[in-house]
Amino acid sequence: MSTPAWSSHTRRPDLEAALNALAQIHHVAGDPPQVTLYELARLATDALQVERFGVWCATEDRSAIRLYFLYARSTGAVADGTILRKEDFASYFRAPDARTVCIDDVTSDPIAADLLVPYLQPLGIGALLDAPIYSDGLPSGMVCHEHVGGPRTWTDEERLFAGTVADNVSRLLEEGLRQRAEQNLRVYQRELQVLNRLEAMGRMAAGIAHDFRNLLTVVSASVELLAEEGLAPGQRSHLDNMLAAVTRGQDLAHELMHFGRDVAGRPTVQALRPFLDNLVRLSAASLGRCTVEVHQEREVSRVLIDRPELERVMLNLLNNARDAMGGSGVIRVEVTQATEDRKSAGLGRAVSIAVVDTGIGMDADTRLRVFEPFFTNKPGGTGLGLAVARQIVSRAGGTIEVESSPGVGTTMRVILPVIE
Ligand SMILES: Nc1ncnc2c1ncn2[C@@H]1O[C@H](COP(=O)(O)OP(=O)(O)O)[C@@H](O)[C@H]1O
Ligand SMILES: [Mg+2]
């Protein structure tokens, strides 16, 4: 141990100045540091007259340290990335984490023994002054001041200075973490705002759609009355166009009303087989040249859900399957017991109702967005079918999943808890 610097050396004015500069960084408590790691590295390497300044951080499992930032004084270059596993350098890492390592001559100090050949010698490092950094009050890494060249005697003053530098690095890194956390929070808040807006929009749309549908009912009744009168063929086709437009308007209003609704209808116990048989009859008109085949495993499952709502879900899925197959083909409806390992396993015993088509399928982008309200790839589509379906299914305690590949087809799977 050398004699304390304070008594044996005159205080070094350059270190004194550097310390003052470091103190300035934090002279207003609570203010974020006004320097970058780069500036700190320059200040420290100039003051200590060392070539390399490295910030090493412990990996999550603390089995290794990773070079987070390296500054070389002679070139001003920075680097990062190297990883040193603690078990490979037992002599260095044997001592507790939170201590300053002060090595005057790496060739003779036992602490440096394991580092000598693989690390220190190739880089020409002759002496080390490493001080611990902390995160949340716990040791989390080291700031390493590496002297390139032969041995050198570190003074106590230099050791203290290295500790102050490390404290500044700790604060700088914690500040970075805090800023990242704040940024994540801001992103989250923005997403929440969008969701709230969507919800408000849904309510508003439902309100408007309700009034709008009543108006359309008046229009459609009048159009139908007009149609009963003896009309010329030209006039008749105008009326048909009006009726088609009004019907589409009514459908849209209906979807919008469902989209804005946030309470379940009146859930009742539904046995699936009769429900699906009825659904096949119900959907025949809108499916045109598509046919539906129902396949069901063993016993009949029962679910608890508002019947018209489940019909709406299934009709939306069938209509999408029809569109994907260009209006003709076989759509399979497969009822199976949902397997345990599904994401939806939390449901307990569950049934899966899959609507399988061999249509155009979806690309990855579409697959990610199908449940987004107003997302549609169809001219004249509402983009509400699947948004509504998901709302209804999740209100009933279930989930809805999509599996699709372009050119092969799509499977939409509704998973609902089963009533024993
Ligand atoms: N079975 C399917 N096959 C291929 N694409 C589908 C299928 N179902 C849904 N999609 C895609 O998801 C979009 C959104 O569907 P949906 O919410 O029902 O609204 P819409 O049918 O009015 O477009 C569709 O426009 C389509 O691109
Ligand atoms: Mg649809």
Side-chain angles (χ1 to χ4, degrees):
M1 186 76 196
S2 55
T3 349
W6 313 115
S7 56
S8 64
H9 299 84
T10 32
R11 292 188 74 168
R12 275 176 42 192
D14 56 339
L15 274 190
E16 186 82 27
L19 271 173
N20 278 337
L22 285 179
Q24 288 302 312
I25 294 171
H26 286 285
H27 73 291
V28 182
D31 255 16
Q34 298 299 308
V35 291
T36 60
L37 211 44
Y38 184 83
E39 288 165 318
L40 211 53
R42 241 186 23 201
L43 192 139
T45 50
D46 283 348
L48 288 174
Q49 303 280 306
V50 292
E51 169 59 14
R52 290 160 56 93
F53 171 97
V55 176
W56 295 81
C57 295
T59 55
E60 198 127 319
D61 63 2
R62 307 191 82 78
S63 68
I65 57 171
R66 189 174 63 83
L67 183 57
Y68 176 78
F69 175 87
L70 174 73
Y71 171 80
R73 183 172 176 231
S74 57
T75 58
V78 292
D80 62 19
T82 311
I83 288 193
L84 298 184
R85 288 191 306 157
K86 289 187 180 177
E87 65 181 36
D88 296 338
F89 303 100
S91 66
Y92 183 85
F93 288 107
R94 192 173 301 123
D97 276 343
R99 84 306 186 209
T100 298
V101 176
C102 183
I103 299 177
D104 292 345
D105 181 358
V106 295
T107 57
S108 60
D109 195 311
I111 294 178
D114 290 338
L115 281 171
L116 194 60
V117 174
Y119 181 82
L120 300 170
Q121 276 181 344
L123 293 167
I125 297 168
L128 284 181
L129 182 52
D130 300 350
I133 55 177
Y134 296 85
S135 167
D136 273 341
L138 292 172
S140 60
M142 303 289 280
V143 175
C144 301
H145 302 94
E146 297 166 340
H147 174 77
V148 170
R152 91 179 242 186
T153 307
W154 302 104
T155 64
D156 281 0
E157 206 174 0
E158 285 170 335
R159 288 170 69 140
L160 285 173
F161 179 78
T164 309
V165 169
D167 289 346
N168 277 274
V169 170
S170 302
R171 267 178 283 185
L172 199 64
L173 296 183
E174 288 208 315
E175 177 59 22
L177 280 180
R178 195 182 64 77
Q179 281 176 2
R180 266 199 298 284
E182 274 182 2
Q183 197 184 359
N184 287 345
L185 189 66
R186 277 196 294 275
V187 169
Y188 173 75
Q189 280 169 336
R190 263 201 304 276
E191 280 171 4
L192 201 67
Q193 259 174 9
V194 170
L195 280 180
N196 285 341
R197 253 207 316 273
L198 265 179
E199 201 189 315
M201 206 161 76
R203 280 182 216 285
M204 194 179 77
I208 297 172
H210 180 260
D211 293 348
F212 200 66
R213 198 178 60 154
N214 288 344
L215 295 176
L216 287 175
T217 307
V218 177
V219 177
S220 76
S222 303
V223 171
E224 276 171 30
L225 285 175
L226 264 182
E228 283 173 10
E229 309 202 347
L231 295 173
Q235 291 173 318
R236 179 77 225 189
S237 81
H238 287 314
L239 267 194
D240 286 344
N241 287 344
M242 277 173 77
L243 206 55
V246 168
T247 307
R248 201 175 125 51
Q250 282 174 317
D251 287 348
L252 182 58
H254 201 83
E255 293 284 13
L256 279 171
M257 282 172 66
H258 268 273
F259 173 58
R261 217 161 117 178
D262 59 359
V263 285
R266 207 172 303 115
T268 51
V269 175
Q270 300 295 323
L272 276 182
R273 187 73 218 203
F275 171 85
L276 291 173
D277 289 341
N278 186 53
L279 179 78
V280 172
R281 275 192 296 278
L282 254 180
S283 61
S286 67
L287 291 185
R289 284 173 294 120
C290 279
T291 51
V292 180
E293 281 178 8
V294 179
H295 298 260
Q296 177 157 14
E297 224 180 38
R298 293 173 287 123
E299 96 252 43
V300 177
S301 304
R302 295 185 306 164
V303 295
L304 183 69
I305 193 168
D306 180 81
R307 184 185 180 105
E309 287 196 341
L310 185 57
E311 274 166 9
R312 174 143 294 276
V313 171
M314 296 307 297
L315 285 175
N316 283 344
L317 298 184
L318 291 173
N319 287 342
N320 281 347
R322 172 207 61 202
D323 295 343
M325 299 202 298
S328 66
V330 178
I331 305 167
R332 280 172 67 93
V333 174
E334 296 170 1
V335 181
T336 52
Q337 195 163 322
T339 47
E340 285 296 320
D341 60 341
R342 307 198 69 80
K343 279 187 245 124
S344 39
L347 289 173
R349 216 162 81 73
V351 66
S352 150
I353 313 167
V355 174
V356 186
D357 70 56
T358 50
I360 51 170
M362 309 176 199
D363 57 24
D365 181 53
T366 302
R367 215 163 38 232
L368 282 176
R369 300 188 58 193
V370 280
F371 297 111
E372 216 172 88
F374 308 111
F375 171 79
T376 180
N377 284 320
K378 300 172 194 168
T382 62
L384 284 171
L386 291 179
V388 168
R390 183 154 78 167
Q391 260 185 354
I392 293 174
V393 171
S394 60
R395 272 203 302 259
T399 57
I400 176 162
E401 296 171 359
V402 46
E403 227 177 85
S404 185
S405 14
V408 179
T410 299
T411 298
M412 298 296 302
R413 197 169 275 114
V414 174
I415 297 166
L416 290 170
V418 163
I419 303 293
E420 304 291 345

